[in-house]
Structures are given as structure tokens and as C-alpha cells.
Amino acid sequence: MEDRDAKSAPADRETEGPFDATEANPARPYVDLGGLKILPREGLHLRLEVEEGTNRVVAVGLDYAGSTLQVQAFAAPRSTGLWHEIREQIEDQILKQGGKSTAQVGVFGPELVAGVPATAPDGTQGLRVARFVGVDGPRWLLRGVIAGEANTNPAAKAAIEELFRSVVVVRGSQPMPPRDLIPLTIPKTAGGAQPAGS
């Protein structure tokens, strides 16, 4: 029986990511989104997902390698993790919607591969494959949802996993209830997503 409060993270998280703000390389030209920093790279398009009504930025969508990676960071307790519990809740939600879900262990630890009910552009109902990954860091949880070629193409999968690894979480020192979204902000510079120089 796994300990549901245990942190779930790759053994090399501190050196390979996803990073805490204290671990990130300060010389790298990150796009600063408040609670998250994203390393720009050639071919990466960044979208901010905004909640209707509140205009609150609730997620970052990254289009890369024929795939999409949606990332969100949540406040977590100092000593315990959230991913085991949140993963169960995601699975419940998917099954309630009539989808399918398979638990597996990947490079980040336990994850879900789900078939989420979706309507195709031509109006037919089908299942959209989404892979849910999560990493517990110091006082935060970073959750990723991967869709597109990364779920079938090994090269795209490696590119998206490396992108998720490069994300930096800026938890801040302010007290926040566990599971609260760490606030995201729109970058100050409009041209924040320039391709990184190689």
C-alpha cells in the first residue's frame, strides 16, 4: 500500500527538474509567468489559459513537438506530497465522464493515461488520449497534461518530457492552503516567447 502522503518525484528532480525557483539556473532567459517560469526554445508556443469571468490565468499551455503540454502548479505542504491523492481524483473524474484511465509508471513516477470523451471537429464522439503526470517538489506540486504526438511518437514524447523537466516553479514565501493554484501572471514583455538562442 503506497503512502498517499508521500512525495512523488524523480530521484534526480533537484538536478534535472522540474525545478524549484531556488534550484533554477539564474543565467537562463526564462519567461516569467509568476508562479511558473518557462524556458523558451525554438518551435515552442506558449498560451495562457484564462478562466472566464475572473480573467485569472489558471494554466500555461505549451505547444511543442506536435503536442501540447498544459502545466499548473499547486501549493503543497512542506513534508507531504499531493500527487497520489490528486491522481486518484483525476481518475475518478475521467471515469465519471465515461472515459477510460490506465495507471502506469513513467519517467516522473506514477501517472495516468486517459481516454477523455471529446467531440471531434466533424462532430463525432471519440476519446482524446491525455497523459497526466505530476511531480511533488518542495511545497508545490507541478501537474502536466500531455496530448498529441507525444502519446504515440517516441521522439515527441522525449521532447515533451524534457520540456516538463525544464519548468521552474516559483512557490513564493506567502502562506497558501495546499491545493491552491500558485498564481500565474502575464509576462511583462509582450514578446516574452522569443526563440532561445542556441
Side-chain angles (χ1 to χ4, degrees):
M1 176 80 192
E2 69 183 1
D3 177 1
R4 286 181 72 221
D5 288 338
K7 284 188 187 285
S8 174
D12 58 1
R13 186 202 64 72
E14 289 177 29
T15 53
E16 300 301 315
F19 299 104
D20 186 62
T22 58
E23 299 156 346
N25 178 343
R28 294 183 113 180
Y30 290 104
V31 180
D32 185 351
L33 303 168
L36 291 173
K37 288 183 174 179
I38 305 294
L39 192 61
R41 57 192 69 200
E42 199 71 55
L44 172 64
H45 292 277
L46 189 148
R47 286 172 293 107
L48 296 179
E49 301 184 16
V50 178
E51 191 174 59
E52 278 181 55
T54 63
N55 279 345
R56 184 171 77 127
V57 180
V58 289
V60 180
L62 302 169
D63 298 324
Y64 186 61
S67 313
T68 57
L69 167 64
Q70 183 210 59
V71 285
Q72 290 177 298
F74 301 90
R78 191 177 297 277
S79 54
T80 56
L82 290 177
W83 179 232
H84 294 305
E85 194 182 329
I86 284 184
R87 210 171 61 244
E88 287 174 11
Q89 292 174 347
I90 293 170
E91 189 159 33
D92 284 349
Q93 275 174 322
I94 290 163
L95 298 176
K96 280 197 184 99
Q97 293 167 5
K100 299 192 300 242
S101 171
T102 308
Q104 62 180 33
V105 174
V107 288
F108 303 110
E111 54 185 50
L112 294 175
V113 174
V116 184
T119 307
D122 63 3
T124 54
Q125 282 291 326
L127 290 181
R128 189 174 66 90
V129 176
R131 179 178 161 211
F132 292 84
V133 295
V135 170
D136 285 306
R139 298 172 60 233
W140 50 258
L141 164 71
L142 181 66
R143 190 184 86 176
V145 185
I146 299 166
E149 281 180 31
N151 291 329
T152 50
N153 168 335
K157 176 180 186 222
I160 286 289
E161 287 175 350
E162 196 272 318
L163 178 63
F164 187 69
R165 283 266 198 184
S166 72
V167 173
V168 176
V169 180
V170 185
R171 164 65 178 79
S173 54
Q174 73 281 19
M176 283 174 74
R179 305 166 157 275
D180 267 23
L181 256 180
I182 296 173
L184 293 164
T185 54
I186 293 164
K188 308 269 182 293
T189 51
Q194 291 122 345
S198 49

